[in-house]
Amino acid sequence: MAATSKFALPLSSEDNVDVLGMIYRFLKKVSIVGAVYLVGYMQWSVAWLFGPVVLSVIRDQWRKETEYRRNVAKAVACSSEKDIVLARLDDLPAWVFFPDIERAEWLNRILLQVWPNVNHYARTILKESIEPAVAVSLANYKLNGFRFERMLLGTIAPRVGGVKVYDKNLSRNEIIMDIDLFYAGDCDISFVLQRIRGGIKDLQIHGMLRVVMKPLITKMPLVGGMQVFFLNKPSIDFNLVGAADILDIPGFSEILRRCIVEQVSRIMVLPNKLPIKLSDEIPTVDLRMPEPEGVLRIHLVQAQNLMKKDVSMLGKGKSDPYAIITVGAQQWKTKHIDNDVNPHWDFWCEARIMQTLGQALEIDVFDKDEGNDDDKLGRCSLEVSHVVRAGRMDTWQTLQQAKHGKVHLRLSWHRLSTDLTDLSHAITETQLVKTGELSSAVLSVYIDSCKKLPNARTVSRPDPYLMVTVGKKTENTAVQMRTDDPVYEIGYSFLVQNPEIDLLEIKAVDQKTGSLLGQLTFSIRALLREKDLCMLTQPITLQKSGPESKIILALQLKILKEAIKEEEIDAESVSDMPMAPEPVAVSSPLPYAAPPTPPTAPPAPPTALPAPPTALPAPPTAQPATPPPTPAVMDSTDAAQPPLTLNAELKKLENNLQDNHSDKSIPVEQIERAVDVPQEEMPSGRDSPKLVHRTSSITTSAGEAGLGRILLSVRYSMQHQTLYVVVHKIMNIPLKDLTNVPDPYVKLYLLPGRSKDSKRKTAVIKDNCMPEYDEQFEWVISHAELHSRQIEVTVATHKGFLGGSPIIGQVIVNLNQYDFREAKTLWFDLMPELPGV
């Protein structure tokens, strides 16, 4: 008898047949038949039915897909992590470590035990913080009167998919823990919007949650407080029920989701944190005063070869592209440029970075259309920690989720200093950039409370809130009801262009009447005279207020100072790599697209091995038939001018490679020993989803079949549930006809299922038998499916009959052969096209 499954999908609502459901379906069928009868009776055109029918079909299909996705997520959330893994024990690779599973299961049991108390705390946050913010946000879309009526989060607790505790680069006074949190519970939330009563079912939240426990104390509970926040915006999904079910269509539901995600981001997505005080011995300012690690200066220069989304009379037109830049809860939007697939934005912005480890810079490119239905042209992501290590970076990033396209970024990392001698240089640097309003310092503000505010009304006390402004940015605190001594205990951070002339303005306003209860205008220049540019918590008299009205606050000013590289990075990382990641083993690959034009490499010594000919891809609109000679991308072995003994070792290795054509991949360790590269520490799979360095190209073999060799890097990110593949280069494509040099490109499919969604394709390199791509591709795939998948890599030439793509060679990479949680960079022999492909 076959063993039963450990878990199954929950039953859909259609399985719960009852009398009310039957009556509802009966009336629904009657209304449909009645509508058809009415159209015929009134002799209306059939076209009146076409629109509603199409919309109904689209809505039903969309709801089926979303409901299936929610049911799968709920099944996973309700099941034991250990049971799920053990149910697939026969299919798991050998490197699965079961103590990790036991640890996650142990934490899930703790969450289940404390969930009733957390449930009560979460309801308080929903009612007091998220509800008013969502109401204001929806009012911008002319949707008024939003409020929660009932908030029950159910009995299903959130699940922990993975836990990581950091033990490096920490202060002794803190503990940092990352939790892959997933909630898909049986919540019951009802709300009112536009006098329509509706509800939310199947609420799902998934994101990487960081818990910082500090400071550590010598008394129980040993931890003075906690800071809880998401590193990046979590994914939120839900199902509308009740009367609001008629509004559960892609347009409206996206607006509601966007508003909820924005408000969650304002509470607990970096740079915003949710502080929890655990000991009265710890001052609240220590937990709530913002502590930026630095500022990331972003210059989005341009994009190239974007997809064409507009439709014209002659077929495909161009696009009207714009970009959205996101770092945690911070977001910026460029202007859109009409009819241009190679837009030049020259857009500057700056992001306050509270945590360099784990946070990412994301860029989404869209085609501007009428209304809100903008087409997506692709996206790319970059780890902030890579920029921090490089200091300054000039990079081209390939757009993912797109057929082609890339964006040009210039990034610089600025750490924070309290040395006044750095101020003049910081101000001068900002004045050199004419196209952006850049900052020279960061001001952190902590507002404790106000005392003895005047009454705005004679019959009751005020409902005060504060408006805090520096430059063009304004932050509003929550409203404190019926009090003239409001307590806020909240912190903000602001970018300051020039501390010598900029001002901090705080206004106390009564919510009911809108009248001013008092204000403070503080010159930031005064902090330049303070020790460490800091003013400790102290009361300051409010202006235009009562005689005894005061505000209690603390201020900290820090000056921007451009950081240099934290560690020595090889010449490839600095000059040619689109980003400079953490130093790792040489076998780790690059994560991004073809690099910008590299600087001229230093001349090689006479005895050095000759660099293979290469060509960098040019934009399709200006690509010559024969590319001009371009300096080759420097490998780590070329950057340091190797001595004669090193060249002898390389020559010996080259001869060995020529004799050994039967190997499908060159051992990277052998190359590392030949060039005497020190083995460096490899970051864990959860530290970064990116693939880093590229292996040196030491091969002259044409492969076992004589079709050439291809260099690939593969890495799987547990944190992002994403498979990354980098196509670096192809060596020694056979040239059968000197008058017909191939135009090679690479196609990739994630098997099984050779579908359009799984297809990826590199750029075409004109007239080249040794093309270099350095293009990264990614597929979002669960870890459970990884071991059963394959990557089909096909090298083809663009020159063919009627523009066809004759196959040069193929490679099948089985993902169950390696532990791809660490990056693997390998050479593969191209083989003849497989039958049936």
Side-chain angles (χ1 to χ4, degrees):
M1 181 174 171
T4 58
S5 175
K6 296 287 184 182
F7 65 97
L9 291 180
L11 296 176
S12 65
S13 58
E14 295 179 358
D15 297 327
N16 301 324
V17 181
D18 55 10
V19 177
L20 293 178
M22 294 177 62
I23 294 175
Y24 170 76
R25 287 192 291 273
F26 174 76
L27 294 176
K28 183 178 179 180
K29 298 294 184 183
V30 169
S31 62
I32 294 174
V33 174
V36 175
Y37 173 78
L38 183 63
V39 170
Y41 181 80
M42 300 298 295
Q43 297 183 354
W44 290 340
S45 171
V46 180
W48 287 94
L49 287 177
F50 183 75
V53 169
V54 171
L55 290 176
S56 177
V57 171
I58 294 176
R59 179 175 180 269
D60 289 344
Q61 182 64 26
W62 177 76
R63 291 193 62 185
K64 286 180 181 179
E65 293 175 357
T66 54
E67 183 178 359
Y68 177 78
R69 185 174 64 249
R70 294 189 194 103
N71 286 341
V72 171
K74 185 181 292 186
V76 174
C78 295
S79 304
S80 166
E81 185 76 15
K82 185 175 181 179
D83 289 343
I84 296 174
V85 174
L86 294 178
R88 306 177 62 114
L89 183 61
D90 295 336
D91 298 330
L92 287 177
W95 43 261
V96 171
F97 191 46
F98 282 94
D100 290 341
I101 303 170
E102 295 287 352
R103 190 180 301 116
E105 187 65 26
W106 177 71
L107 287 173
N108 286 324
R109 291 174 184 172
I110 294 178
L111 277 176
L112 183 61
Q113 187 71 19
V114 303
W115 179 239
N117 297 332
V118 176
N119 200 333
H120 177 75
Y121 182 67
R123 288 202 303 268
T124 303
I125 294 179
L126 280 174
K127 188 66 179 177
E128 296 181 357
S129 300
I130 295 183
E131 178 186 295
V134 172
V136 172
S137 183
L138 286 174
N140 297 329
Y141 297 94
K142 309 300 182 185
L143 299 171
N144 300 311
F146 177 85
R147 73 175 188 276
F148 289 115
E149 288 193 331
R150 184 174 65 254
M151 292 168 290
L152 300 176
L153 298 185
T155 59
I156 300 178
R159 292 196 59 80
V160 173
V163 179
K164 177 176 182 179
V165 179
Y166 291 89
D167 58 355
K168 295 181 180 179
N169 300 323
L170 296 179
S171 119
R172 294 182 174 172
N173 207 26
E174 65 180 0
I175 299 173
I176 298 180
M177 180 169 57
D178 283 350
I179 300 175
D180 186 14
L181 191 68
F182 183 68
Y183 171 73
D186 53 344
C187 70
D188 185 8
I189 301 175
S190 61
F191 63 87
V192 176
L193 177 62
Q194 295 281 68
R195 297 183 180 179
I196 298 176
R197 298 184 184 275
I200 293 177
K201 295 280 191 180
D202 301 329
L203 176 64
Q204 298 178 14
I205 302 176
H206 183 211
M208 185 61 66
L209 188 73
R210 176 162 293 178
V211 179
V212 179
M213 293 176 276
K214 70 174 186 180
L216 304 182
I217 58 179
T218 57
K219 298 180 180 180
M220 294 301 292
L222 302 180
V223 177
M226 298 171 58
Q227 293 175 333
V228 182
F229 51 87
F230 287 102
L231 293 171
N232 300 291
K233 288 185 178 180
S235 60
I236 298 179
D237 195 10
F238 52 82
N239 182 30
L240 293 177
V241 295
D245 184 51
I246 60 174
L247 301 176
D248 192 10
I249 55 179
F252 175 79
S253 62
E254 286 302 320
I255 292 176
L256 191 56
R257 283 179 179 84
R258 189 183 308 122
C259 292
I260 292 178
V261 171
E262 286 177 357
Q263 303 317 315
V264 170
S265 299
R266 292 188 62 183
I267 296 175
M268 53 184 310
V269 176
L270 286 179
N272 307 304
K273 302 178 181 179
L274 181 64
I276 302 173
K277 189 174 180 179
L278 300 179
S279 174
D280 293 334
E281 294 183 359
I282 304 302
T284 307
V285 64
D286 292 350
L287 287 176
R288 296 180 181 264
M289 171 71 90
E291 299 176 355
E293 292 188 20
V295 172
L296 178 64
R297 187 167 290 169
I298 305 165
H299 183 196
L300 178 56
V301 184
Q302 60 183 327
Q304 280 188 1
N305 194 25
L306 298 178
M307 294 190 298
K308 299 177 180 179
K309 287 291 186 178
D310 292 342
V311 179
S312 65
M313 296 294 294
L314 300 178
K316 281 274 187 180
K318 295 188 177 181
S319 293
D320 308 321
Y322 68 91
I324 294 179
I325 304 171
T326 304
V327 180
Q330 304 169 85
Q331 194 170 85
W332 303 267
K333 182 179 178 181
T334 70
K335 63 181 180 181
H336 76 275
I337 299 178
D338 293 330
N339 298 321
D340 195 350
V341 293
N342 298 295
H344 194 278
W345 290 298
D346 197 22
F347 181 82
W348 291 81
C349 60
E350 293 175 309
R352 293 159 290 135
I353 304 299
M354 303 295 176
Q355 297 278 328
T356 57
L357 186 62
Q359 201 164 16
L361 162 67
E362 298 177 350
I363 298 179
D364 295 272
V365 184
F366 294 90
D367 170 38
K368 179 68 176 177
D369 290 329
E370 295 296 330
N372 294 321
D373 191 18
D374 296 345
D375 296 320
K376 194 166 187 177
L377 301 178
R379 69 183 305 272
C380 63
S381 179
L382 191 80
E383 293 290 335
V384 173
S385 60
H386 298 155
V387 188
V388 173
R389 290 187 175 273
R392 183 179 287 271
M393 187 179 299
D394 192 329
T395 170
W396 284 91
Q397 291 283 306
T398 301
L399 293 176
Q400 305 300 324
Q401 302 174 8
K403 293 182 178 179
H404 47 76
K406 55 184 178 179
V407 294
H408 186 192
L409 287 168
R410 291 174 182 157
L411 308 168
S412 59
W413 171 249
H414 298 259
R415 58 186 178 89
L416 302 181
S417 167
T418 55
D419 189 352
L420 271 178
T421 59
D422 297 326
L423 181 59
S424 58
H425 181 270
I427 294 176
T428 302
E429 185 181 5
T430 61
Q431 294 172 348
L432 294 176
V433 180
K434 304 297 183 182
T435 57
E437 298 177 351
L438 303 182
S439 60
S440 61
V442 174
L443 177 67
S444 297
V445 181
Y446 168 73
I447 302 174
D448 182 83
S449 59
C450 293
K451 300 295 184 184
K452 299 187 182 303
L453 293 178
N455 291 336
R457 294 159 287 171
T458 57
V459 294
S460 64
R461 293 180 178 181
D463 300 333
Y465 70 94
L466 301 181
M467 299 174 60
V468 188
T469 303
V470 175
K472 296 181 179 179
K473 183 181 179 183
T474 299
E475 296 281 2
N476 295 336
T477 68
V479 178
Q480 302 297 318
M481 306 299 293
R482 303 291 189 274
T483 178
D484 55 3
D485 295 325
V487 177
Y488 297 101
E489 294 185 338
I490 192 167
Y492 300 108
S493 61
F494 298 89
L495 295 173
V496 180
Q497 291 188 25
N498 190 340
E500 296 180 346
I501 60 176
D502 285 352
L503 302 173
L504 165 67
E505 296 182 359
I506 302 177
K507 295 181 180 180
V509 183
D510 178 58
Q511 185 196 38
K512 292 289 186 181
T513 62
S515 59
L516 184 67
L517 302 177
Q519 72 176 41
L520 170 68
T521 301
F522 182 87
S523 176
I524 301 176
R525 184 177 183 178
L527 291 175
L528 301 178
R529 297 188 294 268
E530 300 286 342
K531 182 181 178 181
D532 294 331
L533 311 183
C534 176
M535 185 183 77
L536 300 178
T537 306
Q538 60 178 291
I540 301 178
T541 302
L542 286 173
Q543 306 156 359
K544 299 180 181 180
S545 186
E548 298 181 356
S549 299
K550 296 181 182 297
I551 181 171
I552 301 175
L553 51 77
L555 302 174
Q556 170 73 65
L557 183 68
K558 292 189 177 180
I559 301 168
L560 269 63
K561 183 176 181 179
E562 185 172 1
I564 59 175
K565 298 182 297 183
E566 291 188 0
E567 299 182 21
E568 281 296 323
I569 302 177
D570 58 25
E572 178 180 341
S573 303
V574 176
S575 61
D576 296 326
M577 287 183 60
M579 58 192 256
E582 303 176 7
V584 295
V586 179
S587 59
S588 305
L590 281 167
Y592 10 73
T597 304
T600 305
T607 55
L609 289 175
T614 184
L616 291 176
T621 56
Q623 193 172 34
T626 304
T630 309
V633 176
M634 284 195 304
D635 292 318
S636 58
T637 55
D638 299 327
Q641 296 277 350
L644 295 177
T645 55
L646 175 60
N647 292 319
E649 284 291 328
L650 294 176
K651 188 64 178 178
K652 180 179 178 181
L653 176 59
E654 180 184 5
N655 295 333
N656 291 339
L657 292 174
Q658 288 178 338
D659 297 335
N660 188 12
H661 292 181
S662 60
D663 292 340
K664 292 295 176 72
S665 62
I666 303 175
V668 176
E669 294 79 4
Q670 186 180 358
I671 299 175
E672 291 174 353
R673 287 195 300 271
V675 299
D676 196 22
V677 177
Q679 184 73 21
E680 297 170 312
E681 181 183 356
M682 182 73 181
S684 65
R686 292 176 186 152
D687 286 347
S688 169
K690 295 298 181 184
L691 301 173
V692 208
H693 294 221
R694 188 181 66 197
T695 310
S696 304
S697 57
I698 309 175
T699 180
T700 56
S701 170
E704 180 180 356
L707 300 176
R709 284 185 150 195
I710 185 169
L711 182 63
L712 301 176
S713 294
V714 187
R715 163 77 181 278
Y716 182 75
S717 168
M718 295 288 291
Q719 175 179 341
H720 296 82
Q721 297 285 290
T722 302
L723 175 68
Y724 297 90
V725 177
V726 181
V727 179
H728 292 301
K729 60 171 69 174
I730 306 173
M731 298 294 291
N732 302 314
I733 296 177
L735 181 60
K736 300 178 182 179
D737 184 359
L738 296 177
T739 62
N740 187 21
V741 182
D743 298 341
Y745 66 94
V746 182
K747 290 188 301 183
L748 301 96
Y749 284 99
L750 186 62
L751 303 179
R754 192 179 288 101
S755 64
K756 182 178 180 181
D757 292 338
S758 71
K759 180 181 178 181
R760 305 291 187 267
K761 181 181 175 183
T762 68
V764 178
I765 305 296
K766 295 286 187 178
D767 300 324
N768 205 313
C769 291
M770 294 187 180
E772 293 190 7
Y773 301 97
D774 285 332
E775 292 192 40
Q776 174 183 284
F777 304 96
E778 62 184 49
W779 291 267
V780 178
I781 177 176
S782 68
H783 184 254
E785 302 179 72
L786 183 66
H787 66 282
S788 61
R789 294 299 190 101
Q790 296 175 319
I791 303 174
E792 178 189 280
V793 183
T794 303
V795 178
T797 175
H798 200 62
K799 291 180 179 177
F801 180 71
L802 296 179
S805 303
I807 303 298
I808 295 177
Q810 279 189 339
V811 171
I812 301 294
V813 181
N814 294 310
L815 298 180
N816 61 354
Q817 293 182 351
Y818 305 95
D819 178 6
F820 285 117
R821 290 182 298 179
E822 294 186 357
K824 303 291 183 183
T825 302
L826 300 169
W827 284 99
F828 293 90
D829 290 353
L830 293 176
M831 306 302 291
E833 181 180 3
L834 299 177
V837 176

